[in-house]
Each structure stands twice: as C-alpha cells, then as structure tokens.
Amino acid sequence: MVEIKTDTALDAMREAGRIVAQALAAARDVAGVGVSLQELDEAARTVLTKAGASSPFLGYQPSFAPTPFPAVLCTSVNDAVAHGVPTDYRLCDGDLVSIDCGAELDGWTGDAAISFTVGTPRPADLALIDATQRALDAGIAAAVPGNRIGDISHAIGTIAEAARCGMPADFGGHGIGRTMHEDPHVPNRGRPRRGFRLRHGLTLAIEPMLMAGGHDDYYTALDGWTLRTTDGSRAAHIEHTIAITEEGPRILTLP
C-alpha cells in the first residue's frame, strides 16, 4: 500500500532527513587514508545518538540477508556497489567510497547516500561519481505530480546508458516514510509513462547505483550483504529522500 503524506508529515520527514545529511557529512569528514570503515560508522552513530534518532539499518534483516545488519552505515569501497559492512579495513589513497545512512526520528524516516574519493582521485572515478549524481538529478527532476514512476526510472537509466555504466537490476529506489522501505519500488531503468502516478505527498528514496564496467552483473560477498561487481569495476551510489509536491521535488535529506 502506498501512503500519501500530509504536509505536516513531510516537515517531520525533513527533520529526519536533516539528521541523515549530518551523519553522512560527519562520516565523510573523518574519512581519509588510514581511517577504518568502523571509524566512519562511529562518526555517524554519534550524530544519530546526539540527535535522539535511531538507525533503520542497525539490526535490519531482509529476506536475502543471512544475518541482521550490524551497523548504522553501509560502507562500500571500490568494486562494492552497496550494502557494504563497516569493518576494520583502512582506507587507502585513491579509494572510491560510497556511504549510505538512514535515521528514524519521531516515527519518520530518512535515507541517503553519497560517493567520494579518498586521497588522490582517479579521473575515471570522478567521472563515475559525476554520472551517478547526474542520474540522481535527472530522476529527481522527473519526480513531479502527473508523472509516473517509470518517468523517474527512464530519466536515471538514460543517463547511465549514455555514460556506458551498468546498474544492478534487482536494486533501486523505494517508497519511504514510517519505515525505510515502503511501496512503490523505484527501478533505475524503466519506460516513461508507466507505473504508479506521482502526486503531492508521495515520498521516495531515489538511488542510482552505477557500475563503471558497463555490465549489470554483481554478486553477494561472503558477508551476505556486500554487493560487488563481477568484473571488478568500480561503483558509485548516490541517494536522496524526496517528496513530490505541487511546487516541485522537495529534497528531504539536505543538511
């Protein structure tokens, strides 16, 4: 069932989203050569705790996962597409890092992700991040009343295809609100004018995941969570929680 939120609920989700943005910023601020992924998670956890928010990631166990997720951040490095588990791995010069975070506050949820490089960036990684950001921007621009989910999906897929990037077909965006994952599903590829019609008060997490190798194939690592490219190419993941409004898309996970 798709829940349409009131304007009051959108304001409450904005506060949850603000905390997500702050947690991501804190994790990025501590990221550097020699810093462990667990330290990034600790930085985000501190922000959530101080804000009185909880994590929808911590303890989450969907049907595909063998164990509950053990952290408040997903930390995906280089060929990891998404869902990376924070470990004692220490970041190296030139690593491409994607971090995904959620927050629950007063019964409402926000979810967002960013990608960045550590130390000396590879030009190809910067181009991949740029393409992922442009795909997200295009998806958000299509999120207006009267359009359909397929318009968002088509906008994202068009950018990915032009950049010659692959995307994992089984994963995409989703509805969000009282819980992290709600209807409708938001594929990162699709046909325009198809799917659920967008209307004021619908809230979505839009999240393109681009793989530089151009293939869509991925596999799940031995931890049961981390999705990795089968060809070893690098990946980027950027996400915002947004609301469809009559005034245009409202991004709820800005600082």
Side-chain angles (χ1 to χ4, degrees), residues 85-102:
V85 177
T87 65
D88 59 1
Y89 172 81
R90 294 190 176 277
L91 295 169
C92 299
D93 186 55
D95 276 347
L96 194 168
V97 184
S98 298
I99 54 176
D100 189 356
C101 185

Side-chain angles (χ1 to χ4, degrees), residues 61-142:
Q61 188 175 9
S63 59
F64 66 80
T67 57
F69 195 76
V72 304
L73 276 187
C74 294
T75 53
S76 305
V77 180
N78 296 333
D79 65 325
V81 184
H83 302 166
V85 177
T87 65
D88 59 1
Y89 172 81
R90 294 190 176 277
L91 295 169
C92 299
D93 186 55
D95 276 347
L96 194 168
V97 184
S98 298
I99 54 176
D100 189 356
C101 185
E104 294 178 348
L105 182 72
D106 298 330
W108 297 101
T109 309
D111 184 11
I114 59 174
S115 290
F116 56 91
T117 57
V118 173
T120 307
R122 300 183 182 185
D125 289 345
L126 297 179
L128 177 63
I129 293 170
D130 177 70
T132 309
Q133 182 65 60
R134 287 188 288 110
L136 175 60
D137 292 344
I140 292 174

